[in-house]
Amino acid sequence: MDEVIKKRVFSGVQPTGKVTLGNYLGAIRNWKPLQEEYDCLYCVVDLHSLTVTQVPAELRKNTMDLVALYIACGIDPSKSALFIQSHVHEHAELAWILDTIAYVGELNRMTQFKDKSRKHADNINMGLMNYPVLMASDILLYQTDVVPVGKDQVQHLELARDIAQRFNARYSDTFVVPEGLLSKSGQSIKSLQDPGAKMSKSDPNDNALISLTDDADTIRRKLRRAVTDSDTCVRHGADKPAITNLLNIYTLCSGLSIADAEKTFEGKGYGEFKDAVADAVISVVEPIQAEQKRLLRDKAYLESVLKQGADKASYLAQKTLSKVYRKIGLIPRIR
Ligand code: ATP
Ligand code: LTN
């Protein structure tokens, strides 16, 4: 029987702190179903996280927590390669080559670079500017077809496509030009304190985000404190950004449609609605937390998963990198 060649998926999250409900609903949750249809690589992008100041011991802990979280969220290591970016040295090597393809002007225009430069004005390092090139390297190294990400990463993905096309035009067909995959819902979960901003792991205001490690009481308290809109009706709409965000969270966690949720809370106040949102969030988060805790106690298992993941990723990465080196005129090492 002919072997069916599956299309390839690559995605990653930075181990920069507590993973939020936004990361889960906008990104990680959508990875699980893809495993059936695609050849998936899911990566903890630790090199990216170095673009903002990290405490080494915390980075180590966040990295292993995230590995366990991926599995707790349904990534099955027997189906997908789960690995740590720095374990596969080709990511950094290809990034250097792609640096010679990307233009300073286009990197300078990236929204995330501008945002992060504002937030970390004391540490606008070259890595922060180069961040999208390393991301392009992650993607192109595996000849990735599909990249599931949240809305905030679309601009970076466009850049990865531009870099791939530019390289292919200059040196002949080398890279697959990747497509983005945005989840229909959960594209952008907003801050609980400012529905104009995205919910972000690195928000200094802890009340603005729900972390996947928050306990039930904390989740309930944060949702009760969430800002609301001026009238009291539970309705989805551009004129009601705060309630729309809570409705998005509610429907994504409960499985109800927006219309059904609006009907359920017709004539009811925000208090009752917020408690229901909390119940729905808790019912999603608690089983993940329990599984993550269990996995973190089994270090040997996590290490075996990471070894297997990095072995598979290295094999594929090496193939692409040697092709790239050959095409651009570097002489292969004699072994
Ligand atoms: P940081 O605050 O450190 O910049 P972050 O919360 O933005 O981190 P990332 O590691 O940059 O998280 O993103 C991981 C994934 O989660 C990406 O695919 C991104 O698009 C998605 N994502 C991040 N925040 C949200 C959000 N608020 N809503 C939906 N998806 C999100
Ligand atoms: N920049 C991404 C994380 C990331 C990524 C990737 C996502 C790094 N490399 C490759 C998809 C594919 C973010 O979510 N902030």
Side-chain angles (χ1 to χ4, degrees):
M1 210 174 79
D2 287 344
E3 197 190 338
V4 183
I5 300 194
K6 290 181 174 174
K7 288 196 166 185
R8 182 155 299 138
V9 160
F10 182 98
S11 200
V13 172
Q14 303 180 75
T16 38
K18 295 179 187 162
V19 171
T20 69
L21 190 64
N23 299 134
Y24 176 67
L25 297 176
I28 304 172
R29 182 165 99 156
N30 307 307
W31 296 356
K32 180 182 169 187
L34 297 173
Q35 298 179 110
E36 307 309 325
E37 211 185 312
Y38 295 90
D39 180 23
C40 300
L41 293 120
Y42 293 123
C43 184
V44 174
V45 289
D46 55 349
L47 298 175
H48 275 102
S49 69
L50 300 175
T51 56
V52 302
T53 310
Q54 300 292 335
V55 177
E58 280 175 16
L59 177 59
R60 271 190 286 273
K61 179 174 187 313
N62 289 338
T63 301
M64 287 313 281
D65 283 357
L66 193 51
V67 170
L69 188 71
Y70 280 10
I71 305 173
C73 290
I75 303 310
D76 177 349
S78 71
K79 294 184 180 147
S80 304
L82 196 172
F83 69 105
I84 294 176
Q85 186 186 31
S86 61
H87 289 184
V88 181
H89 56 80
E90 286 85 355
H91 288 250
E93 290 174 64
L94 180 62
W96 172 253
I97 304 298
L98 300 183
D99 267 340
T100 67
I101 305 286
Y103 297 123
V104 171
E106 59 193 350
L107 294 177
N108 218 358
R109 282 195 296 275
M110 292 286 123
T111 310
Q112 183 177 297
F113 174 60
K114 289 193 273 190
D115 279 357
K116 297 234 160 167
S117 299
R118 231 173 288 124
K119 278 191 204 150
H120 306 277
D122 57 334
N123 183 18
I124 308 177
N125 59 77
M126 271 314 297
L128 201 58
M129 192 174 184
N130 255 340
Y131 181 111
V133 181
L134 181 58
M135 178 163 163
S137 168
D138 297 341
I139 296 167
L140 302 184
L141 200 48
Y142 298 102
Q143 305 292 358
T144 303
D145 298 286
V146 176
V147 186
V149 278
K151 207 173 168 183
D152 60 317
Q153 294 301 313
V154 169
Q155 196 184 33
H156 289 166
L157 193 72
E158 278 304 313
L159 183 80
R161 289 169 55 85
D162 289 346
I163 291 177
Q165 280 161 342
R166 210 174 293 156
F167 189 101
N168 288 349
R170 199 175 293 175
Y171 297 109
S172 84
D173 233 12
T174 306
F175 294 121
V176 169
V177 180
E179 302 283 342
L181 181 68
L182 273 180
S183 68
K184 280 180 249 36
S185 47
Q187 280 183 11
S188 186
I189 303 297
K190 305 298 182 193
S191 152
L192 299 180
Q193 294 299 316
D194 171 12
K198 75 163 191 166
M199 183 181 283
S200 166
K201 288 196 213 93
S202 51
D203 197 315
N205 180 357
D206 197 51
N207 284 323
L209 58 98
I210 292 175
S211 151
L212 288 195
T213 54
D214 283 343
D215 61 25
D217 287 346
T218 309
I219 292 173
R220 212 172 284 287
R221 177 173 47 76
K222 286 181 177 177
L223 282 164
R224 281 193 184 141
R225 284 193 192 166
V227 296
T228 50
D229 307 304
S230 49
D231 66 14
T232 55
C233 109
V234 176
R235 182 174 50 78
H236 205 268
D239 57 330
K240 293 188 59 85
I243 294 301
T244 294
N245 186 40
L246 294 181
L247 267 169
N248 285 340
I249 293 175
Y250 179 66
T251 52
L252 286 166
C253 291
S254 67
L256 284 179
S257 69
I258 297 280
D260 284 345
E262 284 176 338
K263 221 176 285 157
T264 309
F265 294 101
E266 215 172 276
K268 296 184 179 156
Y270 285 157
E272 198 171 327
F273 171 55
K274 284 174 160 182
D275 278 341
V277 180
D279 288 338
V281 171
I282 292 163
S283 73
V284 166
V285 164
E286 272 186 345
I288 296 175
Q289 290 176 345
E291 180 62 0
Q292 185 193 24
K293 250 189 222 149
R294 189 189 70 75
L295 287 160
L296 282 168
R297 281 194 295 265
D298 195 349
K299 198 162 167 237
Y301 171 70
L302 293 181
E303 284 175 352
S304 74
V305 165
L306 289 174
K307 179 177 182 318
Q308 187 191 320
D311 285 348
K312 173 171 177 190
S314 290
Y315 170 75
L316 297 169
Q318 179 51 40
K319 266 206 325 204
T320 302
L321 191 68
S322 50
K323 183 168 160 190
V324 167
Y325 276 11
R326 202 168 2 94
K327 293 235 185 180
I328 60 181
L330 303 182
I331 292 179
R333 176 174 164 188
I334 311 294
R335 296 195 184 265

